[in-house]
């Protein structure tokens, strides 16, 4: 999987066509996943303006701070026209100069800093601002074979970390101590950064986004471990398994974990082209509700993943968009009993032309350490 294959130059042309079709004169993309998707440049976000000016027709321009020009030139953005600005010089006239006349409407990257959004509005007072995702969503939502391969590489790397959990997770150690070991292992497995580490034992496991604490792990307590990072490719990993260390788990927990395990497997198997995001959510939600735990399933069934840890498509009630081949997302039902314990099982999967491919392949059985 070459970088040129993962970040092909024809994405810029496709984005320009989509920009014109959306009735926009240009996209203005500051550092983030949209800029990296189109150029391969993992730009640094900061108060100094970095902005890809992508007109609906004409030559794109990458505006960068002077001190970051070498990084831009060394990236996949090498083929772009690059214009730099020194500290103390207003960079926003460079945006105007990169456009072929005053635009009527522009798409601004969804996560552009507010101070830059307002500065762009002042520089282009006649331009309506819309979200760039209106254009780029459709380009990014279906992954290419190279992107699927990058996500599979990320999935294998995070699986490697889960397979080592017995080295660190044991009664008496705190969640934070275990998390520190996991974070080091995520990097050792090939990630360039750690996006998150959740180690949630006992009652903390009932909070889906708990994080970690200085609470020691008790013998026989269920422990939810949800971890992920970013690979050198820019693509992300995300996988959750639930463990029990040092003793038998509570009978109540074993009962609902069996429900959760069977439900997660069935929800993965239900993925295919044509099923809606809402129907995929229901494939996980309905069996859990039928078992009496509907109130304890607190979140959507899944989120898309790629250059962002959370992106479209979302498997959630109300999403009537059908799944398509190439869409990549999590399947992660959970059951959370407040004040007692919780469990979640999460795999990243890809919708294929005739079904589904799991990118996390470690067992989903309850793991006793």
């Amino acid at each position: 999987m070459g970088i040129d294959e993962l970040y092909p130059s024809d994405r810029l042309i496709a984005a320009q066509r989509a920009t014109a079709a959306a009735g926009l004169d240009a996209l203005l993309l500051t550092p983030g996943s949209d800029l990296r998707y189109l150029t391969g440049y993992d730009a640094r976000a900061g108060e100094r303006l970095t902005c890809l000016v992508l007109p609906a027709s004409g030559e794109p321009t990458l505006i960068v701070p002077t001190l970051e020009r070498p990084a831009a030139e060394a990236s996949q953005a090498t083929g772009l026209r690059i214009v730099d600005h020194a500290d103390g010089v207003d960079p926003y006239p460079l945006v105007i100069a990169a456009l072929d006349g005053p635009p009527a409407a522009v798409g601004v990257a969804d996560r552009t800093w507010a101070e830059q959004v307002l500065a762009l509005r002042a520089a282009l007072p006649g331009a309506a601002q819309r979200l760039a995702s209106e254009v780029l969503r459709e380009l990014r939502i279906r992954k290419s074979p190279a992107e699927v391969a990058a996500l599979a590489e990320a999935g294998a790397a995070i699986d490697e970390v889960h397979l080592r959990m017995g080295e660190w997770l044991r009664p008496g150690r705190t969640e934070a101590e275990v998390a520190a070991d996991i974070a080091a292992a995520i990097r050792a497995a090939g990630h360039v950064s750690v996006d998150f580490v959740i180690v949630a034992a006992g009652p903390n496991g009932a909070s889906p986004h708990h994080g970690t604490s200085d609470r020691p792990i008790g013998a026989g307590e269920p422990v939810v471990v949800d971890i992920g990072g970013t690979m050198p490719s820019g693509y992300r990993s995300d996988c959750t398994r639930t463990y029990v260390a040092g003793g038998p788990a509570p009978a109540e927990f074993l009962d609902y974990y069996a429900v959760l395990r069977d439900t997660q497997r069935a929800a993965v198997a239900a993925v295919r082209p044509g099923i809606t995001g809402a129907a995929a959510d229901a494939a996980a939600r309905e069996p859990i509700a039928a078992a009496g735990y509907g109130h304890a399933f607190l979140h959507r069934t899944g989120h898309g993943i790629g250059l962002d840890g959370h992106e479209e498509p979302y498997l959630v009630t109300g999403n009537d968009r059908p799944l398509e081949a190439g869409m990549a997302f999590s399947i992660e039902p959970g059951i959370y009993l407040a004040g007692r314990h919780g469990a979640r099982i999460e795999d990243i999967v890809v919708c294929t032309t005739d079904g589904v491919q799991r990118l996390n392949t470690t067992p989903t059985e309850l793991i006793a350490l």
Side-chain angles (χ1 to χ4, degrees):
M1 177 184 60
I3 293 296
D4 290 342
E5 186 180 6
L6 192 56
Y7 294 102
S9 59
D10 61 2
R11 280 184 180 168
L12 287 167
I13 297 171
Q16 287 182 299
R17 290 172 178 162
T19 299
L24 294 171
D25 297 303
L27 298 183
L28 306 177
L29 303 179
T30 50
S33 57
D34 286 337
L35 175 60
R36 188 167 190 179
Y37 178 80
L38 291 182
T39 68
Y41 179 34
D42 185 19
R44 172 180 177 154
E47 73 282 359
R48 298 178 176 93
L49 180 69
T50 294
C51 183
L52 173 66
V53 180
L54 185 70
S57 62
E59 185 179 6
T61 301
L62 180 61
I63 298 167
V64 300
T66 301
L67 75 168
E68 293 173 12
R69 181 166 188 143
E73 290 178 337
S75 75
Q76 288 302 109
T78 302
L80 286 173
R81 177 172 66 184
I82 297 176
V83 176
D84 63 83
H85 58 92
D87 282 355
V89 176
D90 182 3
Y92 291 92
L94 298 176
V95 176
I96 299 171
L99 296 166
D100 184 19
V106 296
V108 179
D110 291 20
R111 296 182 178 90
T112 299
W113 289 10
E115 63 182 315
Q116 294 171 344
V117 171
L118 296 177
L120 289 167
R121 183 175 297 171
L124 303 168
Q129 291 182 335
R130 288 159 50 188
L131 293 176
S133 59
E134 294 180 29
V135 172
L136 297 176
R137 172 190 302 125
E138 291 305 309
L139 300 182
R140 292 181 54 180
I141 199 169
R142 289 171 293 274
K143 271 52 181 181
S144 69
E147 290 180 282
V148 172
L151 286 168
E153 180 184 41
I158 210 69
D159 283 354
E160 181 181 322
V161 179
H162 272 294
L163 289 172
R164 296 181 58 194
M165 205 59 58
E167 297 177 29
W168 317 302
L169 202 166
R170 56 184 177 270
R173 300 197 77 204
T174 68
E175 294 171 343
E177 288 170 341
V178 174
D181 290 331
I182 292 172
I186 289 173
R187 291 187 178 90
H191 298 80
V192 294
S193 65
V194 179
D195 294 341
F196 56 90
V197 177
I198 294 173
V199 179
N204 290 337
S207 174
H209 281 176
H210 162 69
T212 65
S213 75
D214 290 329
R215 180 184 182 278
I217 296 167
E221 283 188 335
V223 185
V224 179
V225 177
D226 184 356
I227 54 177
T230 301
M231 298 292 285
S233 65
Y235 286 77
R236 311 288 186 109
S237 65
D238 186 358
C239 183
T240 309
R241 293 292 184 262
T242 301
Y243 301 85
V244 174
E252 174 189 42
F253 172 82
L254 295 174
D255 288 343
Y256 74 72
Y257 189 88
V259 171
L260 182 66
R261 176 201 61 210
D262 293 346
T263 295
Q264 199 267 351
R265 291 176 181 174
V268 170
V271 172
R272 63 184 183 280
I275 186 175
T276 66
D281 179 78
R285 198 163 303 281
E286 291 174 358
I288 289 174
Y293 297 102
H295 66 287
F297 185 1
L298 304 177
H299 51 73
R300 64 197 173 204
T301 293
H303 58 82
I305 190 170
L307 288 171
D308 285 317
H310 287 188
E311 59 183 55
E312 296 198 40
Y314 294 102
L315 309 189
V316 66
T317 301
N319 181 8
D320 293 326
R321 176 169 182 161
L323 300 180
E324 301 173 47
M327 291 183 176
F329 44 85
S330 65
I331 299 288
E332 51 176 307
I335 295 175
Y336 311 95
L337 301 187
R340 287 178 277 178
H341 32 63
R344 181 165 63 257
I345 304 170
E346 176 184 19
D347 289 324
I348 300 302
V349 306
V350 178
C351 184
T352 65
T353 55
D354 57 359
V356 63
Q357 175 188 358
R358 282 178 69 211
L359 300 186
N360 297 109
T361 58
T362 57
T364 57
E365 300 287 348
L366 180 64
I367 302 168
L369 301 176

